[in-house]
Amino acid sequence: MAQNEDEVQLKKIYTQSLTNGKSYAWLDYLSNQIGGRLSGSFNAERAVEYTKAQLDSLGLDRVWLQPVMVPKWTRGIKEFAYIEYSPGDTNNIDICALGGSVATPSGGLKGNVIEVQGLEDLEKLGEEKIKGKIVFYNRPMQADLIQTFEAYGGCVDQRYSGAAEAAKYGAVGVIVRSMNLRLDDYPHTGSMSYGDTPASKRIPAAAISTNGAELLSSVLALNKDIKFYFRQTCKVFPDAQSFNVIGEIKGSTYPNEIITVGGHLDSWDLGDGSHDDGAGCVQSMEVLRLLKETGYKPKRTIRAVLFMNEENGLRGATKYAEVAKEKEENHVFALESDAGGFTPRGFSFDCDDANFKQITSWEPLFKPYLIHYFEKGGSGADVGPLKGNGTVLAGLRPDSQRYFDHHHAANDTFEHVNKRELELGAATMTALVYLIDKYGTVPSEKVKG
Ligand SMILES: [Zn+2]
């Protein structure tokens, strides 16, 4: 009997999302009327205003802005780069500054290039071979990994720490192969860090497209004396005021048990941030709307949280968890969607065995929707700070084969999101939130009694 009721409710949720959904129209506005939403930018502010107004229109119990200070980094004018084979004989190359990078000198930076396959090559080469040169990190994402996020994880240290590490050996700049599995002409940005490198020793860092990386590598194989020139004018400003956007349906029976569902409202600036992570934001808003539209009255408090500044600081997520702790809120479950608006496959979980067992007992309910992936291991960056006190964390896992074609690049745009795929994701998230709300989580030993 209970099972039957759940089947009926899931059917209602999927039907509503696919026939009368709002997620795609919201994403259209965020992407095409607003666009890229880098933390601290005017567009990020517009996105806060817009999503708050949309949440206000849903007739929720409460909608509010949670203030948070965010870093403000700007790209400046379009970057420019070329390979110089000999004086006057050059080939322009598309690059983009990595987020957080310093500018080059105003006239640009030119130097010989040394190609490496990763951070560990620097020590082998030593200062003698690196000093005064531009280090070119060219280890590709591993193609035979079916989980493309694993391939990303195996490469992204080049982008994140490449400049800080190369500077230790006297490099003057770094060029990093884009985190992209396919060969194309889009450079992919993303955050990088100088760690404890003093300001005077920071060197500029840029991404080169995968085609550009292949070209540069083949040219270097013929002639290691060629030069690379690049110019970028990025800049760091003082921290700016921003907000997490939060909407809430108050629980009817256990209002103090909070279920959070979220994505991040900021994005990189090259595209319009449709997959990363406009999709996760509109899906999270849609969870609240679908619960209401299907006539479900949550027992627990359900919140949609649009986190600010996931990409280059995680300040929004940190603030949300900080405030939750201050207020002694009991967060029982937190679900994130930040892996693109592609066909949902299932979820990954960060939880104990008892909760995982309960969740996997619901697998048959998801079968008609081709949702089959229920695995432990990882949730998401924005719900991560809520970890502890038995909070069950989860991440939506869409098909990831095309995600890194678009991730942080100029082609992360609205036309690359499929309406039905986006809606299926929203419904899948809502279905899990419904089940968690109805049956509750299994309290951890510590909390019990
Ligand atoms: Zn993201």
Side-chain angles (χ1 to χ4, degrees):
M1 187 63 199
Q3 189 78 338
N4 239 336
E5 195 181 285
D6 293 339
E7 282 170 15
V8 169
Q9 179 60 24
L10 260 64
K11 179 76 188 154
K12 274 196 212 167
I13 289 169
Y14 277 90
T15 301
Q16 172 66 218
S17 187
L18 288 166
T19 61
N20 195 27
K22 277 276 181 1
S23 57
Y24 194 67
W26 282 331
L27 187 63
D28 188 358
Y29 192 96
L30 259 189
S31 303
N32 292 321
Q33 297 300 321
I34 297 176
R37 304 170 290 281
L38 199 51
S39 288
S41 67
F42 185 60
N43 272 2
E45 225 175 285
R46 292 175 66 208
V48 166
E49 291 299 314
Y50 172 69
T51 49
K52 179 176 183 297
Q54 293 307 305
L55 286 169
D56 276 334
S57 75
L58 298 182
L60 305 173
D61 294 316
R62 193 180 163 213
V63 177
W64 74 102
L65 299 181
Q66 182 174 67
V68 57
M69 295 302 287
V70 295
K72 181 174 176 174
W73 173 88
T74 59
R75 181 171 302 283
I77 58 168
K78 184 156 171 45
E79 303 85 342
F80 179 64
Y82 58 77
I83 299 172
E84 185 182 84
Y85 304 114
S86 61
D89 183 7
T90 61
N91 194 347
N92 289 1
I93 295 282
D94 275 330
I95 63 153
C96 67
L98 294 180
S101 173
V102 295
T104 58
S106 59
L109 175 70
K110 188 153 79 175
N112 287 117
V113 179
I114 180 136
E115 178 177 343
V116 298
Q117 292 297 305
L119 302 175
E120 53 291 346
D121 281 358
L122 300 175
E123 200 185 340
K124 287 182 225 154
L125 289 165
E127 192 171 327
E128 188 193 332
K129 296 218 170 93
I130 295 171
K131 200 176 168 91
K133 292 187 183 143
I134 294 168
V135 171
F136 166 39
Y137 291 97
N138 194 29
R139 184 168 78 256
M141 285 173 74
Q142 200 182 321
D144 60 351
L145 290 172
I146 301 308
Q147 307 283 2
T148 60
F149 280 85
E150 264 179 54
Y152 179 65
C155 268
V156 73
D157 60 341
Q158 300 176 101
R159 187 192 81 203
Y160 193 73
S161 308
E165 291 306 309
K168 291 179 188 164
Y169 296 88
V172 294
V174 302
I175 298 293
V176 183
R177 181 191 183 97
S178 287
M179 307 289 125
N180 179 3
L181 279 154
R182 76 175 179 182
L183 292 174
D184 65 25
D185 295 325
Y186 295 104
H188 294 224
T189 191
S191 66
M192 54 86 66
S193 165
Y194 289 108
D196 52 15
T197 313
S200 64
K201 296 249 157 65
R202 295 180 181 183
I203 59 173
I208 185 170
S209 72
T210 45
N211 276 339
E214 294 286 303
L215 173 68
L216 181 56
S217 181
S218 67
V219 165
L220 283 167
L222 288 176
N223 180 1
K224 65 177 173 30
D225 294 327
I226 58 108
K227 292 199 161 97
F228 193 87
Y229 169 92
F230 70 116
R231 178 169 189 262
Q232 54 192 33
T233 61
C234 26
K235 200 171 165 186
V236 174
F237 288 83
D239 285 359
Q241 181 70 64
S242 193
F243 303 92
N244 293 326
V245 183
I246 308 174
E248 177 181 284
I249 302 174
K250 198 137 197 92
S252 59
T253 319
Y254 311 107
N256 294 329
E257 291 192 19
I258 297 167
I259 293 173
T260 289
V261 52
H264 64 87
L265 193 52
D266 66 307
S267 78
W268 285 108
D269 54 330
L270 298 174
D272 62 35
S274 283
H275 276 298
D276 187 13
D277 183 25
C281 288
V282 299
Q283 286 172 329
S284 300
M285 293 160 69
E286 184 74 341
V287 168
L288 299 186
R289 201 191 66 87
L290 290 173
L291 289 173
K292 274 186 83 87
E293 284 297 315
T294 54
Y296 181 69
K297 299 253 178 302
K299 296 187 208 175
R300 293 167 171 83
T301 292
I302 319 271
R303 273 186 201 163
V305 181
L306 314 184
F307 295 97
M308 186 50 72
N309 186 229
E310 188 273 343
E311 295 292 2
N312 57 341
L314 210 67
R315 299 272 188 91
T318 309
K319 174 61 76 178
Y320 182 72
E322 227 173 71
V323 172
K325 203 173 169 189
E326 266 166 37
K327 296 196 165 167
E328 297 182 358
E329 290 177 345
N330 180 15
H331 285 256
V332 293
F333 180 71
L335 167 63
E336 178 165 333
S337 168
D338 185 15
F342 298 99
T343 304
R345 301 288 198 204
F347 304 93
S348 64
F349 297 93
D350 184 353
C351 65
D352 60 15
D353 291 336
N355 275 289
F356 189 61
K357 198 173 159 212
Q358 169 171 270
I359 289 163
T360 49
S361 77
W362 300 327
E363 272 193 74
L365 285 165
F366 287 90
K367 242 186 151 172
Y369 309 99
L370 307 182
I371 302 299
H372 59 86
Y373 184 87
F374 292 81
E375 299 287 338
K376 273 203 187 187
S379 52
D382 280 314
V383 296
L386 291 172
K387 194 175 163 85
N389 296 317
T391 310
V392 174
L393 303 180
L396 181 72
R397 290 286 158 248
D399 186 285
S400 70
Q401 301 313 318
R402 284 177 289 145
Y403 185 58
F404 291 97
D405 295 0
H406 304 278
H407 185 244
H408 300 176
N411 63 337
D412 180 2
T413 48
F414 183 66
E415 67 269 27
H416 295 292
V417 175
N418 176 278
K419 181 170 182 284
R420 286 179 64 82
E421 292 179 3
L422 181 76
E423 290 166 348
L424 285 168
T428 302
M429 291 162 71
T430 312
L432 182 62
V433 166
Y434 155 76
L435 290 163
I436 293 271
D437 177 69
K438 185 170 168 190
Y439 296 105
T441 54
V442 185
S444 67
E445 291 304 323
K446 205 170 48 185
V447 181
K448 238 182 234 171

